[in-house]
Amino acid sequence: VSKQVLEQVLGALQPLCSSEQQFLQEFFRLGRDSVELQAPEGRVSTVVPSRSIPDLSHGLVWFLRPEQATAQLLSEIFSCLEPELRAFLGICNKVHPLGCLQVLVTLSDSVFGTWGSSSAAPSSFLHALLGNALLLAKSSFNKCIGTLCKEMEEAKAPSRMRGGILPCVSCFQEFVAFSEEVFRTSRRRGELDKAQLRLASSVFSSIDRLSSANLRVNADMVMMENFHHLHNFLCRKNIPCLEGKKREAEQRAREHMEKFVATYLSQPLDGLSHFFEGVKARLAQGVREEEVSFQLAYSKQELRKVVEKYPGKEVRRALETLYRKLHKHLSPEENLLPVVWEAMQGEFIRQYREFEELIQRCYAGSGIALDFTVEDLLSYFNSIAVSN
């Protein structure tokens, strides 16, 4: 509604000012047939009409050029127009929390000739008036963006934060969606591009800060979900100035998914993971592969004890527990559970093959083997996902 009213007001100003300017130029003959006369007291050389003109005691005609005289006359006639226009724009800014965007677009299109159906050039007086109003609109817009950035950067984590999409991310989405609609038909979006980049940087910083604000919530999970959400949103919007942020969001989401998976990876095979981490540490220290089994803590007997604790049934049960934990913590709106579960499966199988390789290298001929195979693991992961 404010957009239509603003356009209506500006649309009414142009013919009004243009007709008044035309009248002044014709009535006072402020045109090409003007001649130079000497101003009173010889102070100013001015251009005035060649024919007689009314006696203007306020001295409006004592200007160097006819267009300046016209502009001064118009400013006298419409002396209340600028303060009234400023007050009206202030009301438009308050109609909507982001009303300054619509004011900026409408004024910008008017000043630069892309708004309105009239092909007539606006009067120089009106052009200057709207130019000043546009500077004010830009200032209001920049102040609004600065406030939004500050709110994002100083936002606190929800009191009962359990993951999911952070409020600052939703706020950023709302701004981008609204601003893109407002600027949809505008040819000048330089101010908007800068604003969107500023806000994107603020929301990225806020995600980093808020993700670790609650120690009961996994920070990598929060960052994974929020950067994944941002990436999907920016893919849908396809905004050129945010292409870099879109790629960064995708990279950050992938990095934190890998860290999140690594955090939970060892839980189903905790004992085995701990044992083989020790084996790898001994190898890194220079212990020869055939001598690892002679280390007291990593002997064949110790390996056999650890392997016996992880029969196939226990591994499946541990994976079911892990799946329920992931289901509980991952937010349903992002639907990242299938993606994380698939990544978990890939890493789990990679870890299994690493265990098998270490057994073959360091415990060759011992006859010790894990109670489950890769095919068993694939079956476990698939059946758990389907049954849940």
Side-chain angles (χ1 to χ4, degrees):
V1 177
S2 61
K3 175 179 183 292
Q4 296 172 350
V5 173
L6 182 56
E7 289 181 346
Q8 185 177 358
V9 169
L10 295 179
L13 286 177
Q14 180 164 324
L16 176 65
C17 292
S18 296
S19 61
E20 189 67 25
Q21 175 172 307
Q22 183 179 0
F23 167 76
L24 292 173
Q25 289 173 337
E26 292 177 355
F27 185 81
F28 292 113
R29 300 192 58 79
L30 298 172
R32 293 181 179 178
D33 57 345
S34 301
V35 296
E36 283 195 10
L37 293 180
Q38 188 70 24
E41 302 179 8
R43 286 195 297 263
V44 182
S45 177
T46 185
V47 177
V48 297
S50 57
R51 299 179 184 177
S52 61
I53 61 171
D55 179 19
L56 299 177
S57 59
H58 48 17
L60 289 176
V61 296
W62 308 115
F63 285 86
L64 295 177
R65 294 188 301 274
E67 59 268 24
Q68 289 179 320
T70 305
Q72 182 63 31
L73 284 167
L74 287 170
S75 67
E76 292 286 339
I77 294 170
F78 297 115
S79 60
C80 65
L81 185 55
E82 183 167 359
E84 291 291 338
L85 181 59
R86 283 174 174 264
F88 173 68
L89 295 179
I91 294 173
C92 292
N93 286 336
K94 295 177 181 178
V95 169
H96 187 279
L98 296 175
C100 58
L101 275 74
Q102 188 62 68
V103 171
L104 177 63
V105 169
T106 307
L107 279 172
S108 179
D109 288 348
S110 179
V111 169
F112 294 105
T114 60
W115 170 85
S117 57
S118 176
S119 59
S123 70
S124 56
F125 165 76
L126 179 60
H127 194 275
L129 177 68
L130 296 182
N132 291 336
L134 178 58
L135 292 176
L136 183 64
K138 287 182 178 181
S139 176
S140 298
F141 175 75
N142 290 333
K143 187 180 296 183
C144 173
I145 299 305
T147 300
L148 285 175
C149 288
K150 185 177 181 181
E151 289 175 355
M152 288 183 181
E153 292 164 3
E154 296 179 355
K156 296 181 179 179
S159 56
R160 296 186 177 181
M161 179 175 170
R162 294 184 178 274
I165 305 308
L166 294 167
C168 62
V169 174
S170 301
C171 178
F172 174 75
Q173 285 183 252
E174 291 170 6
F175 174 86
V176 170
F178 180 79
S179 63
E180 285 298 314
E181 179 60 27
V182 170
F183 278 77
R184 181 171 50 87
T185 58
S186 178
R187 301 178 190 176
R188 303 178 63 86
R189 52 172 294 144
E191 297 289 333
L192 179 62
D193 287 347
K194 289 187 288 186
Q196 288 181 345
L197 281 170
R198 280 184 66 190
L199 286 168
S201 297
S202 293
V203 79
F204 275 47
S205 299
S206 189
I207 293 173
D208 288 336
R209 181 175 56 83
L210 294 177
S211 61
S212 56
N214 190 334
L215 298 179
R216 293 175 297 177
V217 180
N218 185 281
D220 288 310
M221 180 192 72
V222 175
M223 287 192 270
M224 171 187 69
E225 289 189 318
N226 281 275
F227 282 121
H228 176 268
H229 186 83
L230 274 174
H231 175 254
N232 284 347
F233 172 74
L234 293 176
C235 282
R236 293 195 302 272
K237 289 299 179 182
N238 193 28
I239 302 171
C241 73
L242 294 177
E243 278 296 310
K245 291 297 181 182
K246 182 178 74 175
R247 291 191 296 270
E248 183 182 349
E250 181 182 26
Q251 179 183 351
R252 297 288 299 277
R254 184 171 57 251
E255 288 175 356
H256 289 291
M257 178 180 290
E258 292 172 357
K259 293 179 180 179
F260 178 70
V261 168
T263 299
Y264 286 90
L265 183 64
S266 63
Q267 292 184 8
L269 303 177
D270 185 52
L272 279 172
S273 297
H274 181 73
F275 183 89
F276 285 110
E277 283 299 321
V279 171
K280 289 193 292 183
R282 294 298 184 275
L283 293 174
Q285 292 169 2
V287 177
R288 296 166 60 183
E289 293 177 357
E290 58 272 20
E291 295 177 354
V292 170
S293 61
F294 295 102
Q295 302 282 317
L296 184 60
Y298 303 101
S299 64
K300 295 176 184 178
Q301 291 80 4
E302 291 299 320
L303 173 61
R304 190 173 285 108
K305 288 179 184 178
V306 174
V307 169
E308 288 173 354
K309 292 179 181 179
Y310 294 93
K313 291 181 179 180
E314 288 297 324
V315 172
R316 179 188 168 87
R317 187 177 294 113
L319 288 174
E320 289 175 339
T321 301
L322 176 60
Y323 188 90
R324 287 194 295 270
K325 185 179 294 186
L326 293 174
H327 185 272
K328 177 182 178 182
H329 289 99
L330 291 170
S331 58
E333 60 264 33
E334 283 308 290
N335 194 31
L336 277 176
L337 181 57
V339 180
V340 172
W341 191 240
E342 183 178 355
M344 190 74 72
Q345 173 184 292
E347 282 299 303
F348 204 85
I349 290 174
R350 183 200 61 76
Q351 186 184 63
Y352 170 86
R353 286 175 172 155
E354 183 181 50
F355 293 167
E356 274 198 325
E357 181 189 0
L358 288 170
I359 291 174
Q360 292 172 5
R361 288 167 54 193
C362 303
Y363 301 91
S366 65
I368 303 173
L370 298 172
D371 186 58
F372 49 92
T373 64
V374 170
E375 288 71 24
D376 291 331
L377 289 175
L378 290 171
S379 176
Y380 300 158
F381 273 93
N382 183 60
S383 60
I384 290 170
V386 171
S387 62
N388 288 275

